[in-house]
Amino acid sequence: MTQTAVTPPSERAVRAATPGGARAPRRSGRRRIALPYLLLLPALLLELLVHLVPMLMGITMSFKELTQFSIRNWSEAPWSALDNYTVAIDFDAPVGQALLKSFFTTCLFTVVSVGLCWFLGTAAAISLQENFRGRGFLRTLFLVPYALPVYAAVITWAFMFQRDNGLVNHVLHDQLGIGDSPAFWLIGDNSFWALLVVSVWKGWPFAFLTVMAGLQNIPRDMYEAAALDGAGVWKQIRHITLPSLRSVNQVLVLVLFLWTFNDFNTPFVLFGKAAPEAADLISLHIYQSSFQTWNFGTGSAMSVLLLLFLLVVTGVYLLLTTRGRKTSDV
Amino acid sequence: MAVPRSFLWTRRIFLTLLTAFVVLPVYVMVSSSLKPLEDVSGKFAWIPSGLTIRPYFDIWETVPLADYFVNSIVVAGAATVFSVAVAIFAAYAVSRYTFRGKRVFTVTVLSTQMFPGILFLLPLFLIYVNIGNATGFALFGSREGLILTYLTFSLPFSIWMLTGYFDSIPRELDEAAKVDGCGPISALFRVIVPAASPGIIAVAVYAFMTAWGEVLFASVMTNDTTRTLAVGLQGYATQNDVYWNQVMAASLVVSVPVVVGFLLLQRYLVAGLTAGAVK
C-alpha cells in the first residue's frame, strides 16, 4: 500500500538524477538508485515543511506590508518592495537605532560568552584528562548544567539575581560589603553581566563534552614521546594537546557562535518578554518588536538581515579555517 | 610521569572554583525548595531556618503541573522516537550510498541549524493554521504540531552525528550480511543499528533534551490544554507574589528525569560525539 504511494515521486527523482538513464549501468538498476532517495524522503519532507518553506515564506513576508489584519491573508497583502528593509536599517530613526544597538550588544555578548565557554570547557577537559581520585565524579557533575532544562536553570539564576532576596546580592553586598546598596541585576546596565554569567554557566559544558571527545583521539604515545624528549606537562599541552584539537575547535567555536548569537531562551526566561537595553539580544529584540507592534513585515526583514549576517560570517569563517586543509570532512 | 607542582595546584584551584560555579545554582534550587515562603521572600540565607517539604505538595495545586508534565513527556517522547527513526534512515543513505544531490542535502540540512528560530516562527504558525483550516487537522495548539516541530530541531545534528557513526562501522559487516541474503533495509536493522546503538542512544538523548528544554515555540504554539513545562513553570509568578520555593521545587521536579537520564547515558554521548561530530 504505502509502497505504491511512495513510488511515483521517487521515480521522478531518479529520472531527474540520472539524465538519459544511460549513466547508470548499475547492477540492479533503478531499485538501487531509488533506495537512498526513499531513505532520505522523510527527512527531506520534514525539513521542507518546518524549515525551508517557512524560511522562504519569511523572506517573502519581508517584502510585504503586514499588519495584524493582513497577516491572516499574508500572500495577498500589498507588496512593499524594500520598505521594511529601509525601516530596519534607518539608523537615524528609533527602530533602526534600536536594532543596531541590539546587534552590537549581541556581537559583544557572543564573543565574550563563546570565548569563556571555550576556555572553561577546554581547561576542564584537559584537567580531567589524567586519572585521579574524583575524576569520574567531576566529569558527571560538570555535565549537570548541560542536562538541566533551560527554563529550570535560568529561572534559578533569575532567583539568585533578585535584588532583595537573591544569593548574588547577599554575597556581594551583605557578606563582602561591595556597594552602598544592593544592586539591580535584571534591569539596567548590570543585566548584561547577569545574562553573560547564565549563558556561560549553561554553555560551557558543551565545549567540555566536545573537547573531551576530541582528546580521546590523541594517541597516547605522542605524549610519551614528548615526555622522553623532556617536555613537561605545560609544554605537552601547548605543543600536542592544543594543536591536535584544532579541527575539533573549528567546529566547536562555530556551533557555539551560532547558538549564542541566536539564543532566545536564556534572555526570554531571565527577563521575560522584553529584555533591558543593555542585554537586548537580537532574537528577543526581533520577537518583541514584531509581536508588540504587530509589524511582521519589518520583523521578517530584520530576521532576513540576521540570517544574511550569519551566512556571511559562517562563510568567511569556514574559508579562513579550512584554507590549506585538503580534507573535506565537514 | 612526573607532574610538576605548578600544574597540580593550578588544576586543583581551577577545578575547585569551577565546581563551586556549577554547584551554586543547584544548591540554591535544592535548599530554597525546602524553605517556607517567608524565608524565600526575605533575605537569602545559606542555611534554611526551617525545613519543609510543603512546596513539593503545593506545586501540583498552584498550577496544573501534572498536566504539563504529561504534555512534555508525550511531546518530547514522540519527537525523540520519530526524530531518531528519520535520522537513522537518512544517515544510512548518506553513509552507505553515493547519489546525486548528496552534498546539497547534507549542506542544506546542516545549515538549517543556522536559521534564527524567529525567522520561521511566524511562517510556521501560519502554515499550521492554514493546514488546520484546509484539512480540519489542528496542528496549531496541538501536541502533534509541537511534536512535528521539535522532531526537526534535533534532526540535522542527529543525521550528522549518525552518519559519522555509521561511517565508522566497517563496510565488511554490510557485505557479510548481504552474502547471507539480507537486503539493504534488513542489513540496516540487523547489522548497522545494533553496531551503532551507542550513537543512536546519544542521538536520542540529544533529541529528548532539545524537545524537553525548548521555550520559544512552546510559548507560542500551545494552548491551555497542551501547555508544556517550559511555559507552565512561569505560572508560579502571580501578580502579587512569586512563590520562589515552589518555583524551585517545580524546577527540581521537572529537571530530575532528564538530568538522571542524561547522566546515566552520558558516556554514550561522548562516544557518539567522538565518532560523529569529531573526526
Side-chain angles (χ1 to χ4, degrees):
Chain A
M1 247 302 271
T2 43
Q3 190 63 38
T4 49
V6 175
T7 309
S10 66
E11 273 182 355
R12 226 177 298 136
V14 174
R15 249 175 260 141
T18 55
R23 276 198 194 171
R26 288 276 170 84
R27 273 162 291 169
S28 46
R30 190 188 283 164
R31 210 183 112 71
R32 260 187 85 82
I33 308 162
L35 188 64
Y37 295 103
L38 278 179
L39 290 167
L40 287 185
L41 199 64
L44 211 58
L45 287 178
L46 287 165
E47 286 296 324
L48 276 176
L49 176 70
V50 180
H51 283 123
L52 298 174
V53 171
M55 193 189 71
L56 293 177
M57 265 173 78
I59 294 172
T60 316
M61 284 160 86
S62 72
F63 296 105
K64 296 247 178 185
E65 208 180 296
L66 293 175
T67 61
Q68 69 205 91
F69 305 110
S70 61
I71 189 74
R72 287 267 160 178
N73 246 328
W74 69 276
S75 55
E76 271 136 53
W79 196 253
S80 72
L82 289 173
D83 284 1
N84 290 320
Y85 289 89
T86 37
V87 170
I89 59 169
D90 180 4
F91 299 135
D92 293 326
V95 175
Q97 230 169 36
L99 182 69
L100 190 67
K101 183 154 194 310
S102 164
F103 172 75
F104 283 131
T105 307
T106 313
C107 286
L108 179 67
F109 177 81
T110 305
V111 169
V112 181
S113 174
V114 170
L116 285 172
C117 285
W118 175 83
F119 173 77
L120 290 180
T122 307
I126 291 176
S127 299
L128 297 189
Q129 201 178 5
E130 298 296 323
N131 205 0
F132 60 86
R133 207 151 47 102
R135 174 180 175 243
F137 172 75
L138 284 181
R139 220 172 104 148
T140 308
L141 183 75
F142 287 169
L143 293 175
V144 167
Y146 181 68
L148 277 172
V150 134
Y151 44 87
V154 178
I155 271 184
T156 307
W157 277 103
F159 176 51
M160 291 163 70
F161 279 120
Q162 293 294 306
R163 180 173 184 262
D164 296 321
N165 54 349
L167 170 138
V168 175
N169 274 347
H170 179 66
V171 172
L172 291 182
H173 180 260
D174 303 347
Q175 297 189 318
L176 299 175
I178 298 170
D180 297 330
S181 61
F184 285 102
W185 289 102
L186 298 179
I187 52 174
D189 287 348
N190 289 335
S191 56
F192 181 86
W193 303 108
L195 184 62
L196 187 70
V197 169
V198 182
S199 171
V200 171
W201 186 84
K202 192 83 191 73
W204 81 267
F206 179 75
F208 171 63
L209 201 63
T210 313
V211 175
M212 222 163 38
L215 288 179
Q216 293 180 359
N217 288 347
I218 305 175
R220 299 240 35 106
D221 45 354
M222 276 177 81
Y223 291 107
E224 280 155 24
L228 278 181
D229 289 342
V233 178
W234 293 111
K235 273 210 165 131
Q236 289 177 18
I237 290 173
R238 247 187 72 196
H239 296 290
I240 300 176
T241 311
L242 291 178
S244 307
L245 287 174
R246 186 167 298 158
S247 66
V248 174
N249 281 333
Q250 279 166 6
V251 178
L252 173 64
V253 168
L254 183 62
V255 170
L256 280 177
F257 166 79
L258 291 173
W259 283 351
T260 315
F261 210 95
N262 284 329
D263 190 14
F264 175 88
N265 296 336
T266 316
F268 183 71
V269 181
L270 195 62
F271 303 119
K273 286 195 159 70
E277 214 178 313
D280 192 16
L281 296 194
I282 200 143
S283 283
L284 188 57
H285 179 83
I286 296 175
Y287 171 89
Q288 197 247 351
S289 62
S290 308
F291 279 84
Q292 219 164 46
T293 63
W294 293 89
N295 193 341
F296 297 109
T298 314
S300 301
M302 291 176 178
S303 309
V304 173
L305 290 172
L306 173 61
L307 180 66
L308 284 177
F309 170 75
L310 293 174
L311 275 173
V312 169
V313 172
T314 308
V316 170
Y317 179 83
L318 288 177
L319 271 181
L320 287 177
T321 54
T322 53
R323 196 176 49 186
R325 279 203 307 159
K326 283 202 184 108
T327 46
S328 56
D329 54 355
V330 172
Chain B
M1 187 172 61
V3 180
R5 293 178 69 86
S6 69
F7 178 76
L8 285 181
W9 274 106
T10 316
R11 185 168 80 181
R12 213 166 279 162
I13 293 165
F14 173 72
L15 288 178
T16 308
L17 290 175
L18 197 60
T19 305
F21 181 48
V22 168
V23 167
L24 208 57
V26 180
Y27 174 76
V28 170
M29 207 191 266
V30 176
S31 68
S32 304
S33 74
L34 296 168
K35 290 178 183 177
L37 187 61
E38 313 85 78
D39 235 10
V40 286
S41 308
K43 272 212 174 307
F44 181 84
W46 286 99
I47 296 154
S49 62
L51 286 179
T52 168
I53 53 166
R54 263 206 76 92
Y56 285 91
F57 292 101
D58 293 343
I59 50 174
W60 309 95
E61 308 285 326
T62 314
V63 304
L65 190 67
D67 294 344
Y68 301 155
F69 226 105
V70 172
N71 285 334
S72 274
I73 288 174
V74 171
V75 169
T80 305
V81 170
F82 290 123
S83 165
V84 169
V86 171
I88 287 176
F89 286 123
Y92 182 60
V94 175
S95 168
R96 290 309 200 243
Y97 291 91
T98 36
F99 54 90
R100 262 192 188 227
K102 179 168 160 174
R103 201 166 162 74
V104 175
F105 173 80
T106 34
V107 170
T108 311
V109 166
L110 262 187
S111 60
T112 58
Q113 283 275 293
M114 194 194 300
F115 299 165
I118 193 75
L119 174 61
F120 60 90
L121 172 70
L122 187 69
L124 195 61
F125 158 77
L126 291 171
I127 290 178
Y128 283 3
V129 169
N130 282 333
I131 291 179
N133 290 343
T135 65
F137 184 65
L139 280 174
F140 176 72
S142 69
R143 288 169 176 174
E144 288 82 2
L146 213 53
I147 292 170
L148 196 62
T149 315
Y150 286 172
L151 88 90
T152 61
F153 282 3
S154 48
L155 206 51
F157 192 69
S158 304
I159 293 175
W160 187 37
M161 207 155 115
L162 278 184
T163 304
Y165 217 94
F166 289 174
D167 281 345
S168 71
I169 296 165
R171 273 152 197 276
E172 287 77 30
L173 283 178
D174 319 24
E175 298 301 328
K178 275 179 196 148
V179 170
D180 290 344
C182 281
I185 300 296
S186 70
L188 169 63
F189 283 106
R190 290 182 187 204
V191 179
I192 312 263
V193 167
S197 52
I200 292 170
I201 293 172
V203 163
V205 172
Y206 175 76
F208 190 83
M209 284 175 49
T210 309
W212 193 260
E214 206 282 331
V215 178
L216 174 58
F217 287 77
S219 57
V220 176
M221 291 207 175
T222 54
N223 59 32
D224 284 346
T225 55
T226 55
R227 201 153 286 164
T228 60
L229 293 168
V231 194
L233 230 52
Q234 288 157 15
Y236 293 99
T238 63
Q239 259 183 343
N240 306 318
D241 220 340
V242 182
Y243 300 115
W244 281 114
N245 51 352
Q246 290 189 44
V247 177
M248 294 298 110
S251 298
L252 202 69
V253 169
V254 308
S255 301
V256 163
V258 46
V259 172
V260 169
F262 177 81
L263 295 181
L264 286 175
L265 298 170
Q266 49 103 357
R267 65 200 172 91
Y268 294 111
L269 199 71
V270 178
L273 276 171
T274 316
V278 179
K279 276 192 296 180

